[in-house]
């Protein structure tokens, strides 16, 4: 595209959107690439770009007989995860970003990053990636355009989003699109910034090649910018999986959205296979990470998954823990920082079968069984098309989304939080989400049992002031005439003997069934001072070898533990400060007063 062109053709779509053409010209003028290539999203283009990525050493072909269409990418070892300390919300005032986000003034951020972007793409190609978050044509979908100098980003965006000409056709001449700029620059942590400008619907990301920092449709647009748009436009952008459950006699599935912080089995839950005793039951995956939820004409909350693929953590994924995820990675999948077997397949810690004697580790070095080093990076990933998932919901691409009957907030807690608890009402449910906490594991911190608050699993992903975000959740009740019921779950409670009280994995289906039955008013529960819990007789425990005493222990409300919990919450309330809605403060005070 030359500086004067007024249109360009991408696939079969003529692009004449003046704002888009102008912006691409400006980005190119700043980054000074050798070439500008508009991505059309075709199969032929994917083939050519994949071959190019292999030739450039960005991708390593895997054994094509074992894993057709699959490739391995090794990132720079200094660039293997999201960088929360380098992630900024650039709102006109610090208060708009709130006390839980890093903030930079927009002018200062643009100026600082423009210096880094100046000439950053010399000798490289600037790819223009138009993409849709959400089903194409859905009134709830959003369009983004990411310009990037990373071919790895283009190929990943092709899996994670609806990419190419279809997005441009949907956009037309509208101005309603997200402007995303990304350059790897020199992958230097000193020159790495992920900046969000909610007021400009803009994201600038520099110095990284790692998924969460550079696949701008995911955390940056679908959650940070999305949450800001959601507040302005009256909807919710949430860090939630969406699943449907269908019993043998159900004509239609019932849908649940659930938020979990990392290391709590979120992807496993989204793709759960019900245990044998649930013959004829089916869990359908709509999404494994993000939900956009709006009020439908029927006054219910309807959800779409804005993504088209899974960017999942590989270690720990096996046929036992998550067969559907394993099957999703059987073909057309990009692996990042996993280990390579001698016959060109992938391997990671926790995979089925014996540990191979020798491997090539995630850094490309020879690795021997018994080595103290991990073969796969603990945050190694698969980028797999949702279409590969045998349990993909037939409604996953429905432009209207699916109606949500229950919302679940989960965390990893060895004490206090019962296996499952239903809130008394919406405001109490929002309080449960707002005060969600999860314990760090020994591996991560050296100390077990440190509770970190991660409200609604959104702490790193809320694009504006967290207190105002809670306020938005409370406000939404006015519009949701038929609100979903809100629950809290904890698969990780331990007994006095230090063992887990609940088996987890597929048996979580039993908890899910109670949740759905409660949401439909079909089953009993016990009212406690803090919420409704099931007793052993309320949960379907057929075929599970567990005593009623252990179930009672798992669902027990211990008032002393809760007194300590409310004390622990005080620090978080102090952090959120003035912006914490009165309703949330009063919920806490009410519960504290009730337990005395
Ligand atoms: C993710 C995350 O990658 O939450 O989904 O970090
Ligand atoms: Mn996530």
């Amino acid at each position: 595209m030359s500086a004067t062109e007024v249109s360009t053709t991408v696939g079969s779509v003529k692009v004449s959107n003046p704002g888009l053409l102008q912006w691409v010209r400006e980005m190119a003028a700043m980054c000074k690439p050798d070439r500008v290539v508009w991505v059309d999203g075709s199969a032929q283009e994917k083939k050519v770009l994949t071959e190019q990525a292999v030739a450039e050493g960005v991708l390593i072909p895997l054994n094509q007989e074992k894993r057709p269409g699959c490739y391995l990418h090794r990132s720079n070892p200094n660039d293997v995860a999201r960088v929360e300390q380098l992630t900024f919300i650039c709102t006109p005032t610090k208060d708009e970003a709130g006390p839980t986000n890093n903030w930079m003034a927009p002018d200062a951020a643009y100026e600082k990053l423009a210096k880094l972007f100046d000439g950053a793409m010399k000798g490289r190609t600037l790819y223009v990636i138009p993409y849709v978050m959400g089903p194409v044509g859905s009134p709830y979908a959003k369009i983004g355009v990411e310009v990037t100098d990373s071919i790895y980003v283009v190929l990943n965006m092709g899996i994670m989003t609806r990419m190419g000409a279809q997005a441009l056709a949907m956009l037309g001449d509208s101005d309603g699109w997200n402007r995303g700029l990304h350059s790897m620059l020199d992958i230097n942590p000193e020159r790495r910034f992920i900046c969000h400008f909610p007021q400009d619907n803009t994201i600038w990301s520099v110095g990284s090649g790692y998924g969460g920092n550079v696949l701008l449709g995911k955390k940056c647009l679908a959650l940070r910018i999305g949450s800001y748009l959601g507040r302005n436009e009256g909807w919710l952008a949430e860090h939630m999986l969406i699943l449907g459950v269908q019993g043998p006699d159900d004509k239609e599935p019932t849908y649940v959205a659930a938020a979990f912080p990392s290391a709590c089995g979120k992807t496993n839950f989204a793709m759960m296979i019900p245990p044998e005793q649930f013959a004829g039951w089916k869990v359908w995956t709509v999404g494994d990470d993000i939900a956009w939820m709006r009020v439908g004409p029927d006054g219910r909350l309807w959800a779409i998954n804005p993504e088209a693929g899974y960017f999942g953590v590989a270690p720990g994924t096996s046929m036992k823990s998550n067969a559907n995820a394993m099957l999703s990675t059987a073909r057309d999948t990009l692996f990042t920082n996993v280990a390579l077997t001698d016959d060109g397949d992938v391997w990671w810690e926790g995979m089925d079968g014996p540990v191979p004697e020798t491997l090539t580790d995630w850094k490309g070095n020879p690795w021997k069984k018994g080595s103290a080093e991990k073969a796969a990076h603990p945050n190694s990933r698969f980028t797999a098309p949702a279409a590969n998932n045998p349990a993909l919901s037939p409604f996953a691409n429905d432009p209207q989304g699916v109606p949500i009957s229950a919302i679940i907030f989960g965390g990893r807690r060895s004490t206090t939080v019962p296996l499952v608890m239903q809130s008394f009402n919406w405001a109490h449910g929002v309080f449960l989400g707002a005060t969600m906490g999860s314990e760090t594991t020994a591996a991560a911190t050296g100390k077990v049992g440190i509770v970190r608050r991660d409200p609604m699993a959104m702490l790193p992903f809320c694009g504006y002031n967290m207190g105002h975000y809670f306020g938005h959740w409370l406000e939404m009740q006015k519009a949701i005439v038929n609100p979903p019921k809100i629950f809290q779950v904890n698969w990780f409670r331990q007994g006095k003997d230090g063992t887990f009280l609940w088996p987890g994995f597929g048996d979580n289906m039993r908890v899910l069934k109670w949740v759905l039955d409660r949401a439909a008013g079909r089953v009993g529960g016990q009212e406690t001072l803090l919420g409704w819990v099931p007793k052993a007789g309320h949960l379907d425990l057929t075929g599970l070898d567990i005593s009623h005493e252990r179930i009672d222990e798992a669902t027990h409300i211990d008032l002393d533990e809760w007194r300590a919990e409310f004390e622990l919450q005080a620090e978080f309330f102090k952090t959120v400060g003035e912006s914490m809605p009165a309703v949330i403060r009063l919920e806490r005070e009410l519960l504290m007063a009730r337990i005395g």
Side-chain angles (χ1 to χ4, degrees):
M1 194 177 77
S2 83
T4 50
E5 264 175 309
V6 291
S7 74
T8 186
T9 300
V10 180
S12 58
V13 178
K14 182 164 176 241
V15 186
S16 52
N17 185 317
L20 173 57
L21 293 168
Q22 171 66 17
W23 177 77
V24 171
R25 271 195 290 271
E26 282 169 18
M27 297 303 105
M30 175 163 64
C31 300
K32 306 181 181 58
D34 283 9
R35 278 170 304 279
V36 174
V37 170
W38 288 69
V39 171
D40 66 20
S42 65
Q44 174 60 17
E45 176 188 74
K46 179 178 170 186
K47 187 169 170 287
V48 170
L49 290 178
T50 303
E51 282 164 9
Q52 188 186 324
V54 171
E56 289 173 5
V58 174
L59 294 183
I60 300 168
L62 293 168
N63 182 327
Q64 294 298 302
E65 266 163 40
K66 287 190 153 182
R67 294 215 184 241
C70 294
Y71 296 83
L72 168 64
H73 170 75
R74 294 196 184 113
S75 76
N76 187 315
N78 80 26
D79 186 34
V80 292
R82 286 187 288 103
V83 282
E84 283 166 27
Q85 70 283 12
L86 301 175
T87 299
F88 292 83
I89 302 298
C90 306
T91 41
T93 64
K94 189 168 177 1
D95 182 60
E96 284 163 277
T100 59
N101 281 315
N102 300 317
W103 175 79
M104 244 194 270
D107 287 352
Y110 279 130
E111 200 185 319
K112 187 182 180 92
L113 269 66
K115 287 196 186 115
L116 299 176
F117 278 115
D118 186 9
M121 298 189 188
K122 272 190 193 142
R124 300 182 185 174
T125 301
L126 181 156
Y127 296 98
V128 183
I129 311 173
Y131 63 95
V132 186
M133 298 308 288
V136 175
S138 166
Y140 307 147
K142 296 278 179 202
I143 292 169
V145 180
E146 174 168 356
V147 300
T148 178
D149 54 8
S150 161
I151 197 166
Y152 169 81
V153 167
V154 180
L155 292 167
N156 274 271
M157 288 292 278
I159 298 173
M160 296 304 295
T161 73
R162 285 86 170 169
M163 178 180 85
Q166 55 187 335
L168 294 169
M170 188 172 154
L171 179 64
D173 283 349
S174 157
D175 191 36
W177 51 282
N178 179 268
R179 291 138 179 81
L181 169 64
H182 165 246
S183 170
M184 297 181 288
L185 200 58
D186 53 354
I187 313 282
N188 179 346
E190 301 291 314
R191 307 190 317 142
R192 182 171 297 158
F193 296 95
I194 324 300
C195 288
H196 304 71
F197 304 87
Q199 277 79 1
D200 301 341
N201 203 354
T202 292
I203 305 156
W204 281 16
S205 165
V206 67
S208 170
Y210 170 78
N213 301 325
V214 300
L215 306 178
L216 299 185
K218 191 174 178 65
K219 303 299 187 185
C220 300
L221 171 52
L223 288 177
R224 298 196 190 95
I225 297 286
S227 59
Y228 172 86
L229 295 175
R231 181 170 181 235
N232 287 350
E233 297 169 3
W235 54 280
L236 294 165
E238 298 304 326
H239 193 200
M240 290 181 179
L241 63 89
I242 310 164
L243 60 78
V245 182
Q246 195 163 12
D249 304 323
D250 297 339
K251 281 205 198 65
E252 285 178 1
T254 306
Y255 296 95
V256 171
F260 293 88
S262 60
C264 290
K266 186 175 169 190
T267 303
N268 296 350
F269 193 54
M271 300 184 180
M272 185 170 51
I273 296 178
E276 268 171 35
Q277 295 70 31
F278 280 75
W281 286 75
K282 176 86 189 161
V283 171
W284 300 103
T285 315
V286 179
D288 78 323
D289 196 35
I290 298 172
W292 283 357
M293 301 192 286
R294 296 186 185 247
V295 186
D298 57 358
R300 301 168 79 187
L301 205 50
W302 288 71
I304 60 164
N305 170 16
E307 301 189 282
Y310 309 121
F311 183 64
V313 176
T317 308
S318 66
M319 286 305 282
K320 181 170 175 290
S321 69
N322 192 340
N324 288 324
M326 289 302 280
L327 297 169
S328 299
T329 64
R331 53 169 55 244
D332 303 322
T333 294
L334 300 176
F335 294 91
T336 303
N337 294 340
V338 300
L340 182 65
T341 64
D342 295 344
D343 65 348
D345 201 358
V346 289
W347 190 85
W348 48 77
E349 280 73 14
M351 203 188 233
D352 310 87
V355 177
E357 293 298 324
T358 55
L359 290 163
T360 305
D361 76 6
W362 67 277
K363 291 184 188 160
N365 299 322
W367 183 94
K368 277 206 174 67
K369 184 173 168 180
S371 162
E373 300 283 316
K374 300 248 188 258
H377 188 276
N379 192 34
S380 55
R381 299 277 175 152
F382 53 81
T383 315
N388 283 358
N389 179 0
L392 183 68
S393 163
F395 296 93
N397 293 309
D398 192 309
Q400 298 304 320
V402 295
I404 300 296
S405 296
I407 289 176
I408 297 176
F409 293 115
R412 172 185 285 269
R413 299 293 300 269
S414 55
T415 67
T416 319
V417 178
L419 176 62
V420 56
M421 180 163 79
Q422 183 183 356
S423 65
F424 294 121
N425 52 42
W426 183 265
H428 179 221
V430 175
F431 169 80
L432 291 180
T435 52
M436 228 171 98
S438 212
E439 273 164 32
T440 51
T441 59
T445 66
K447 266 192 189 170
V448 177
I450 304 295
V451 179
R452 294 256 161 85
R453 295 292 147 196
D454 187 356
M456 300 186 181
M458 281 289 277
L459 192 65
F461 305 120
C462 187
Y464 61 101
N465 187 312
M466 193 51 103
H468 301 161
Y469 165 76
F470 299 146
H472 176 48
W473 263 83
L474 294 168
E475 253 327 281
M476 284 294 289
Q477 187 180 11
K478 295 185 185 138
I480 315 172
V481 182
N482 297 308
K485 303 284 186 287
I486 302 182
F487 298 79
Q488 182 175 41
V489 300
N490 175 23
W491 317 133
F492 303 94
R493 195 167 188 184
Q494 293 174 11
K496 291 184 190 69
D497 58 0
T499 60
F500 288 118
L501 288 165
W502 180 250
F505 295 103
D507 286 307
N508 293 339
M509 181 69 207
R510 302 167 192 276
V511 174
L512 190 52
K513 184 162 181 296
W514 185 77
V515 163
L516 298 176
D517 285 341
R518 288 294 300 174
R522 282 192 298 250
V523 73
Q526 180 175 318
E527 186 177 344
T528 73
L529 289 176
L530 290 147
W532 290 84
V533 297
K535 283 296 146 200
H538 301 135
L539 286 172
D540 185 343
L541 300 174
T542 346
L544 185 63
D545 185 17
I546 188 169
S547 69
H548 280 200
E549 288 73 35
R550 272 181 93 75
I551 295 294
D552 284 343
E553 210 181 332
T555 53
H556 178 59
I557 300 285
D558 180 318
L559 293 185
D560 280 339
E561 285 182 348
W562 277 96
R563 279 184 199 102
E565 170 71 9
F566 286 123
E567 285 311 316
L568 275 181
Q569 290 172 2
E571 201 184 321
F572 177 66
F573 274 68
K574 220 166 104 194
T575 304
V576 178
E578 287 294 296
S579 56
M580 183 65 95
V583 171
I584 303 291
R585 285 177 211 278
L586 292 171
E587 281 290 337
R588 175 163 172 262
E589 280 166 29
L590 176 66
L591 292 167
M592 286 170 81
R594 290 185 73 189
I595 64 175

